[in-house]
Amino acid sequence: MNTYMPVKNELVPPILASKIRFLPYSPHPRTVCMRVELIGCSYTDGLVSYSMPQGQERGQEVDLLDLSYDGTTTDGFLYGGLGRLHDGTIGDHNFRSDIGHGKGYEWVGWRNESYSSLEVLCEFEVVRNFSLIIFANNMHTKEGQNNNLTDRCLRPRVAS
């Protein structure tokens, strides 16, 4: 917007990559300009990928999908990549809150009737001990007539 003043933009969620390509764009012909300084850090966690069922949408307003997953999605199952469960961001206690990216963006969630148990498979570069910190949210649903149904939302963070 302003070609004279520097602007710092934080990428949310963070990007794990060995190469990044910039494609400058301007709606005005012949006025494309760009100044870039990329600041990052070395990735030392050693987590190669995680695999699990894809999250689910919760109506038109709340989306509990892992939209930042960079692996493959086949038949509602994520494998071979990283995404929301490893981005270092913890969502608001109420997954229906919007803290800047849309309602439910920071969470991945499933309905209880979808899975009797949920398996998350983590693949590391080498054999290691690790802990998986899980932030769970069991808000009682208001969309159904059966008040015994609950939502299960996960916001895990993998720590070495």
Side-chain angles (χ1 to χ4, degrees), residues 51-56 65-66 69 72-79 108-110 114-115 118-119:
S51 301
M52 66 177 195
Q54 175 61 284
Q56 298 171 341
L65 300 171
D66 194 343
Y69 196 77
T72 304
T73 304
T74 304
D75 296 327
F77 194 80
L78 308 174
Y79 62 93
V108 179
W110 306 266
S114 301
Y115 300 97
L118 187 67
E119 182 177 310

Side-chain angles (χ1 to χ4, degrees), residues 38-136:
L38 193 59
I39 301 171
C41 60
S42 297
Y43 177 70
T44 59
D45 285 351
L47 180 64
V48 175
S49 69
Y50 64 81
S51 301
M52 66 177 195
Q54 175 61 284
Q56 298 171 341
E57 293 179 353
R58 293 302 316 265
Q60 295 177 354
E61 289 187 1
V62 180
D63 193 355
L64 301 177
L65 300 171
D66 194 343
L67 296 174
S68 65
Y69 196 77
D70 63 359
T72 304
T73 304
T74 304
D75 296 327
F77 194 80
L78 308 174
Y79 62 93
L82 297 171
R84 183 78 58 240
L85 302 188
H86 191 256
D87 65 8
T89 305
I90 299 173
D92 190 73
H93 291 289
N94 180 354
F95 67 85
R96 296 179 190 281
S97 297
D98 184 351
I99 61 173
H101 304 290
K103 293 181 180 180
Y105 179 82
E106 295 82 12
W107 291 85
V108 179
W110 306 266
R111 288 187 172 272
N112 270 349
E113 64 268 14
S114 301
Y115 300 97
S116 59
S117 64
L118 187 67
E119 182 177 310
V120 178
L121 177 65
C122 297
E123 179 185 349
F124 290 92
E125 290 175 336
V126 296
V127 176
R128 64 189 297 172
N129 291 327
F130 74 99
S131 61
L132 181 64
I133 301 166
I134 297 177
F135 300 91

Side-chain angles (χ1 to χ4, degrees), residues 11 15 17-24 34 36 38:
L11 300 177
I15 296 173
S18 59
K19 298 174 184 158
I20 295 180
R21 181 178 182 185
F22 293 98
L23 299 172
M34 181 172 73
V36 175
L38 193 59

